[in-house]
Amino acid sequence: MPISINKNNSIIQVIGASSLGTLIEWYDFYIFGSLSGIISKHLFPDDSGVSALISTLAIFAAGFIVRPFGALFFGRLGDIVGRKHTFLLTLILMGGSTFFIGCIPSYSQIGYAAPIIALILRLIQGLALGGEYGGAATYIAEYAPLGKRGFYTSWIQTTATLGLFLSLGIIVFTRSTLGELTFYEWGWRIPFLISILLVIVSVYIRLKMNESPLFSKLKSEGKISTNPLKESFQNKMNFKMVLLALFGATMGQGVIWYTGQFYAQSFLENTVLLEFNEVRYIMIWAILLGTPFFILFGSWSDRVGRKWIMLSGMLLGIISYRSIYQTFLDKTDFASFQSTTLVSSTQPILKKIPLKGTTDSILITSLSKTLSDGSTFKEIKKDTLYSNAKIQMNPSIPICTDKTLSQSTFIWFVFLVFIQIIFVTMVYGPIAAFLVELFPTQIRYTSMSLPYHIGNGVFGGLVPFIATLIVSYPGADKLSGLWYPIGVACLSLIIGTLYINNNNKKYE
């Protein structure tokens, strides 16, 4: 029997309050990843090189790994005391830990205590997010009219991408306002500190909401689960659904999501070597254009089923990723820039750095160039100066970095990221409704949270770290890291094709 909306909360208020809080949690969660390059230079010694970035990405990944534990703890809490109060608690934990990340002293001030504190706060973020999403999705789904769950829950599905969009926007605005040097020195902390204001607003709004009608009905009838963990995982049929959701859907969805939005950003910045803001402008435009498709595919799944929309998104990612990322490289390689007419060049800046334990030194020569198509880049050469004049200096190959693109190439890059975000909307738009309908109300929060956070958080969240690690191995090329998301998506596509029912709506 359909449940009527509580007279104090319209469905628009329910979606707005739930989505705003979840959006802020995603914002909190993603600014660490968006600023990982700068953060790594403050948390680790100056001479750490690429290991500082990999270690920072590992701290970032730790937040994903603990998400399933947060899902179990807060999911159980949500199935016992209710959805509303549980995700109020997760919101406060997330906002508080994000604020304190912005206050961490640097390595030069407290040594290795800096990355250890960052790791602890990152773990709290992961636990909080593990409890947030399942509660918010369940809360909306239990308010949604019958046959409209795909459409209504798709709004909560936009929040992860919009959280990333908000984090990029605030980072770009702060950096542009303060200037590059100030932002690098201390301005990067501001996006973390702002979080506390956003959380206060969201807590105020959520306090005005009521408990979900389905949970309230269960509570009034005395049918609330006393041990949702036991009921979720000792019941063979329910546990089978948990495994199917994980391996046939959320695992593939997770790697598509994090490749299209996070690895794309990391690849453009650290491999293609685009200028800091250039990368974020590309991401912002692509996200802005792609976000409405979450609603489109969520709504469409109410009519044609969830399965084939999600699996099609995985398939498109599998067959197109390598060609997309190869295009990123081809359009920005050194030869491509060198073949374009040079318009102007700055005077070379020379920097001499003594080599430890020797009398030799490294000479760094840098200059900025502007080309006829409007693109710019910084050319850097590193040569060894030997104190022994008999040893000849071998000229090094210049590195082309801090690139900005011509207008046509910029639009082309936005399109290539936009295409990846369309894949994301296909796998992610319908998945909240898909998960909610797999499990009964009394253990829904617990049951759907675990496969979601293992699939999305662990398999997906580790994409930037594992892909970067693979590329660092001897013999790997710049595209080798893509084999991780492609392999995981292939496995999920096969399992989903064989075992997921397109019209599987077991529970309302």
Side-chain angles (χ1 to χ4, degrees):
M1 184 177 69
I3 300 296
S4 60
I5 304 288
N6 187 304
K7 62 182 182 182
N8 294 320
N9 293 153
S10 72
I11 188 67
I12 294 175
Q13 287 175 307
V14 169
I15 291 173
S18 303
S19 299
L20 178 62
T22 310
L23 186 154
I24 291 170
E25 289 223 23
W26 286 116
Y27 164 83
D28 290 345
F29 200 68
Y30 287 141
I31 46 178
F32 193 99
S34 297
L35 291 170
S36 56
I38 292 177
I39 292 173
S40 67
K41 294 178 172 59
H42 288 271
L43 293 184
F44 294 96
D46 293 337
D47 58 355
S48 298
V50 73
S51 66
L53 177 61
I54 291 178
S55 299
T56 305
L57 288 175
I59 294 174
F60 180 60
F64 292 96
I65 292 171
V66 298
R67 277 170 56 179
F69 298 102
L72 288 176
F73 178 78
F74 291 108
R76 177 179 179 277
L77 200 63
D79 280 330
I80 293 175
V81 304
R83 289 54 164 130
K84 173 187 169 181
H85 292 96
T86 303
F87 65 43
L88 267 174
L89 177 59
T90 62
L91 187 62
I92 293 169
L93 283 174
M94 175 65 88
S97 52
T98 303
F99 175 81
F100 286 115
I101 288 176
C103 303
I104 297 175
S106 65
Y107 175 86
S108 63
Q109 295 170 300
I110 60 172
Y112 280 107
I116 291 172
I117 294 172
L119 175 62
I120 293 170
L121 292 172
R122 183 69 188 158
L123 292 176
I124 296 173
Q125 281 190 320
L127 290 171
L129 189 63
E132 163 68 21
Y133 172 82
T138 300
Y139 189 69
I140 291 179
E142 292 178 350
Y143 266 100
L146 295 179
K148 294 285 186 181
R149 274 189 173 149
F151 172 67
Y152 284 109
T153 57
S154 66
W155 291 93
I156 203 81
Q157 299 306 95
T158 66
T159 57
T161 295
L162 290 176
L164 177 60
F165 177 85
L166 182 63
S167 72
L168 294 172
I170 289 181
I171 288 169
V172 168
F173 176 79
T174 307
R175 189 174 185 269
S176 302
T177 303
L178 296 177
E180 183 177 351
L181 182 60
T182 305
F183 184 79
Y184 175 80
E185 289 176 344
W186 59 266
W188 62 273
R189 298 176 184 275
I190 291 178
F192 289 96
L193 302 178
I194 286 174
S195 171
I196 201 70
L197 300 176
L198 300 176
V199 168
I200 289 172
V201 172
S202 185
V203 167
Y204 175 77
I205 294 172
R206 281 192 173 182
L207 280 172
K208 293 179 174 297
M209 304 305 294
N210 297 313
E211 186 52 80
S212 93
L214 287 177
F215 184 84
S216 298
K217 182 172 181 286
L218 278 183
K219 190 174 182 180
S220 66
E221 295 171 350
K223 295 181 179 177
I224 293 174
S225 172
T226 55
N227 193 340
L229 288 177
K230 183 178 178 182
E231 291 182 37
S232 293
F233 306 119
Q234 288 194 355
N235 180 308
K236 287 186 178 178
M237 182 54 68
N238 201 71
F239 188 59
K240 179 183 172 184
M241 289 296 111
V242 170
L243 295 179
L244 179 60
L246 170 59
F247 294 110
T250 61
M251 182 174 71
Q253 169 264 311
V255 295
I256 295 294
W257 200 102
Y258 282 93
T259 302
Q261 298 187 133
F262 247 100
Y263 188 61
Q265 183 186 164
S266 175
F267 190 86
L268 290 174
E269 183 170 355
N270 300 310
T271 305
V272 176
L273 300 178
L274 293 189
E275 191 266 342
F276 184 92
N277 275 355
E278 190 83 344
V279 176
R280 280 137 190 94
Y281 287 138
I282 290 170
M283 297 303 302
I284 286 171
W285 274 110
I287 289 172
L288 194 64
L289 295 170
T291 297
F293 288 85
F294 285 106
I295 312 298
L296 175 69
F297 287 117
S299 178
W300 194 26
S301 73
D302 285 329
R303 299 191 292 277
V304 302
R306 327 287 184 201
K307 172 181 175 178
W308 294 115
I309 295 176
M310 295 190 296
L311 297 185
S312 297
M314 292 181 203
L315 178 63
L316 290 170
I318 290 167
I319 62 179
S320 62
Y321 277 154
R322 285 187 62 86
S323 58
I324 288 174
Y325 284 78
Q326 184 62 56
T327 305
F328 286 145
L329 293 174
D330 292 343
K331 290 282 185 182
T332 55
D333 64 7
F334 188 73
S336 173
F337 275 74
Q338 290 293 86
S339 64
T340 307
T341 305
L342 179 67
V343 173
S344 64
S345 175
T346 62
Q347 289 296 319
I349 299 174
L350 305 179
K351 187 177 181 182
K352 194 174 177 182
I353 303 175
L355 285 172
K356 289 181 181 177
T358 73
T359 54
D360 302 330
S361 57
I362 296 290
L363 177 65
I364 301 175
T365 308
S366 64
L367 68 163
S368 299
K369 294 184 175 180
T370 302
L371 306 179
S372 59
D373 63 1
S375 58
T376 65
F377 66 96
K378 182 182 288 185
E379 186 177 295
I380 299 176
K381 289 200 309 181
K382 293 183 180 179
D383 298 297
T384 304
L385 290 179
Y386 298 101
S387 56
N388 184 348
K390 294 180 180 178
I391 302 177
Q392 295 294 316
M393 185 176 71
N394 295 319
S396 63
I397 299 173
I399 298 172
C400 186
T401 186
D402 286 353
K403 304 167 189 170
T404 64
L405 306 171
S406 65
Q407 187 177 30
S408 60
T409 306
F410 180 87
I411 293 172
W412 183 232
F413 275 34
V414 169
F415 175 75
L416 292 177
V417 177
F418 166 75
I419 289 294
Q420 294 181 72
I421 292 176
I422 294 300
F423 304 158
V424 171
T425 62
M426 293 176 73
V427 298
Y428 201 60
I431 205 163
F434 167 77
L435 292 173
V436 163
E437 290 162 352
L438 277 182
F439 303 105
T441 306
Q442 59 267 33
I443 54 172
R444 178 173 287 155
Y445 200 152
T446 304
S447 296
M448 71 165 283
S449 292
L450 186 68
Y452 173 78
H453 286 292
I454 293 178
N456 183 279
V458 178
F459 283 97
L462 291 180
V463 168
F465 172 67
I466 292 180
T468 304
L469 194 63
I470 291 173
V471 172
S472 70
Y473 286 143
D477 62 35
K478 293 178 179 178
L479 299 183
S480 297
L482 290 170
W483 289 120
Y484 170 68
I486 289 174
V488 172
C490 278
L491 183 61
S492 193
L493 177 65
I494 293 169
I495 295 173
T497 300
L498 292 176
Y499 297 109
I500 288 179
N501 185 336
N502 191 43
N503 296 307
N504 190 2
K505 297 182 180 179
K506 291 170 65 71
Y507 301 99
E508 296 296 347

